[in-house]
Amino acid sequence: MFDRDDVTKSSVTVAIDAASIDTALDARNADLNIPDFLNTAEFPTITIVSTSVEKTGEMTGKVTGGATMLGVTLPVTLDMIWSAESALPWDATVLRTGFSATGSLSIAGFGMTKAGELGIGPDVMPMIDVEAVKQ
């Protein structure tokens, strides 16, 4: 939800299929699903849910909230960039907008005991890109 007139009324909810994470290496992707790492059989979804959104510049902001993996929720702050609003070229009555958000999470707090053995960590960087149509 985005309120461009009062960004503090905006909110972010992201749900990620944990088994869909792609490291560009099939063997590592399979390893990510093990119980000592993402444990996708027991915890199939990773979520990020905002508690606040603030404007930091004309086209930038910060999203603060919680990231949940393996049943553990830890605080996260994402830097957000808004790519403005425009009408669809084929239908001027439909407005679209886009956002990108990035941040950093320390995975140790989530209990991922095999991360170092897989060459991952100690931090991961969530990257979220969204294009939305005004309703």
Side-chain angles (χ1 to χ4, degrees), residues 20-65:
S20 74
I21 294 174
D22 186 359
T23 66
L25 184 61
D26 290 340
R28 184 181 300 172
N29 292 345
D31 287 340
L32 293 181
N33 298 307
I34 65 175
D36 290 328
F37 197 71
L38 289 176
N39 193 3
T40 57
E42 189 174 346
F43 301 100
T45 306
I46 298 168
T47 61
I48 297 175
V49 178
S50 67
T51 53
S52 67
V53 179
E54 66 179 283
K55 189 173 182 176
T56 59
E58 186 62 29
M59 303 296 277
T60 59
K62 286 207 181 290
V63 175
T64 303

Side-chain angles (χ1 to χ4, degrees), residues 107-120:
I107 59 175
F110 295 102
M112 294 183 195
T113 60
K114 299 289 184 181
E117 293 175 28
L118 297 174
I120 300 171

Side-chain angles (χ1 to χ4, degrees), residues 55-83:
K55 189 173 182 176
T56 59
E58 186 62 29
M59 303 296 277
T60 59
K62 286 207 181 290
V63 175
T64 303
T68 303
M69 289 191 285
L70 297 165
V72 176
T73 302
L74 296 176
V76 64
T77 299
L78 303 174
D79 294 312
M80 181 183 65
I81 299 173
W82 178 39
S83 62

